Amino acid sequence: MTRARLIICAAAVVALAMYSAPTGAPATAHLATPPSTATILVGFSMGKVRLGMKKTAVVAAFGKPSWCFHAYSKDDEECDWLAPPDTRIKGIPEPQHSIGAVGVDFWKGRVIWVTLIAPQRERPEYKNVPLLSGWRTSKGIGLGSSLSALLAAYPDAKRLPHWVSISRRQGGKTSETRFLFLSFSGIVHQIVILQITPQPGA
């Protein structure tokens, strides 16, 4: 797997929240949902899922995912866990694509990236109530955080057009944490932790 492939993957997960379950997939209400709060360790893990972890351990920690699929090859598999419907907003239907999610990508059965996704909703009243906003770094940054708060918490982070990036190197491995934000609002709507080197399958 090349570095370019990882970058494409990390950018493409924005579309996950718009992804519909395959025909015949079981109802998500009967499947496991991710915890509402968790600790994000920059460059290492989100909640109980860490880079390099085996898929069997992830499923044991999170329960049965909403779905898994092979996006590119039999060695590359992605599994997603959908957050429960948002009960704080009454009277508005919850289409499946509007629910926040945790996505985990595996290469030959081991975690190479983890992503936390805020709900993708068109109504402005949803803007300030992202599900899974209880997933936070030690400096209090998570979904719904402002860009200004993110940069204040991590002043050495690299600012890019659509995300803020923090790289970590440990034990010969380099990982990257990306905080993607909505340019029109400056609000973090996605967090990705991914392995840069060594590159799986390279």
Side-chain angles (χ1 to χ4, degrees), residues 12-195:
V13 292
V14 176
L16 273 176
M18 301 301 292
Y19 180 83
S20 296
T23 303
T28 56
H30 302 297
L31 301 176
T33 58
S36 59
T37 61
T39 299
I40 298 172
L41 298 180
V42 172
F44 182 71
S45 64
M46 287 197 200
K48 295 181 178 180
V49 180
R50 67 181 184 277
L51 293 176
M53 194 174 190
K54 289 184 177 180
K55 180 184 175 182
T56 52
V58 175
V59 174
F62 268 10
K64 187 177 180 180
S66 300
W67 52 68
C68 293
F69 60 95
H70 297 279
Y72 295 91
S73 72
K74 63 180 180 62
D75 292 325
D76 186 359
E77 183 179 25
E78 181 178 320
C79 296
D80 300 317
W81 286 260
L82 296 182
D86 191 342
T87 57
R88 291 170 291 181
I89 300 176
K90 306 296 183 181
I92 301 177
E94 283 288 347
Q96 186 167 287
H97 67 262
S98 76
I99 301 172
V102 176
V104 181
D105 193 83
F106 303 93
W107 179 261
K108 295 185 177 179
R110 288 191 178 271
V111 176
I112 56 171
W113 61 256
V114 188
T115 184
L116 186 67
I117 306 170
Q120 300 294 302
R121 292 164 167 152
E122 296 177 355
R123 298 183 177 89
E125 59 265 29
Y126 284 121
K127 182 175 64 175
N128 296 318
V129 287
L131 296 176
L132 303 176
S133 59
W135 290 52
R136 297 271 159 173
T137 71
S138 61
K139 297 187 178 183
I141 301 300
L143 297 180
S145 293
S146 67
L147 178 59
S148 59
L150 170 59
L151 295 175
Y154 299 100
D156 295 331
K158 184 178 180 180
R159 170 78 183 271
L160 294 156
H162 300 293
W163 67 72
V164 170
S165 175
I166 302 171
S167 295
R168 292 284 186 268
R169 183 171 177 80
Q170 185 175 6
K173 296 181 179 181
T174 301
S175 62
E176 189 172 309
T177 302
R178 296 175 182 175
F179 299 86
L180 286 76
F181 56 90
L182 300 172
S183 57
F184 62 86
S185 66
I187 298 297
V188 174
H189 74 102
Q190 184 177 340
I191 303 172
V192 182
I193 294 178
L194 59 108
Q195 179 180 315

